[in-house]
Amino acid sequence: MTEYQITFDLEYMDKQEDERTAETTVIQEAENAKEAVSELLQIYSSKMKDIHEIKSLEAESEEN
């Protein structure tokens, strides 16, 4: 194995490692985004329930 081949192999391995790191980062960011969207949907659902309850109470109070 020549010095050139060893250098090339090391550079190739470094590039592969960089690509794996980038893939891992993208996956982590996607998982974080998924969690954030899930939290937002829970908040939205809770607020919609609150609004529905308020409207029901308003309707009840208008009937009385």
Side-chain angles (χ1 to χ4, degrees), residues 18-36:
D18 290 346
E19 288 176 5
R20 282 192 294 275
T21 300
E23 288 173 5
T24 300
T25 300
V26 168
I27 290 168
Q28 288 172 343
E29 288 177 0
E31 288 173 354
N32 291 344
K34 181 181 173 184
E35 288 176 23

Side-chain angles (χ1 to χ4, degrees), residues 22-64:
E23 288 173 5
T24 300
T25 300
V26 168
I27 290 168
Q28 288 172 343
E29 288 177 0
E31 288 173 354
N32 291 344
K34 181 181 173 184
E35 288 176 23
V37 168
S38 179
E39 289 175 18
L40 288 172
L41 286 172
Q42 289 175 356
I43 292 168
Y44 175 79
S45 176
S46 174
K47 296 298 178 189
M48 291 305 290
K49 287 177 186 176
D50 291 347
I51 290 169
H52 179 71
E53 186 176 331
I54 290 168
K55 288 186 178 193
S56 294
L57 291 171
E58 287 174 345
E60 265 182 44
S61 99
E62 287 177 6
E63 289 175 1
N64 294 334

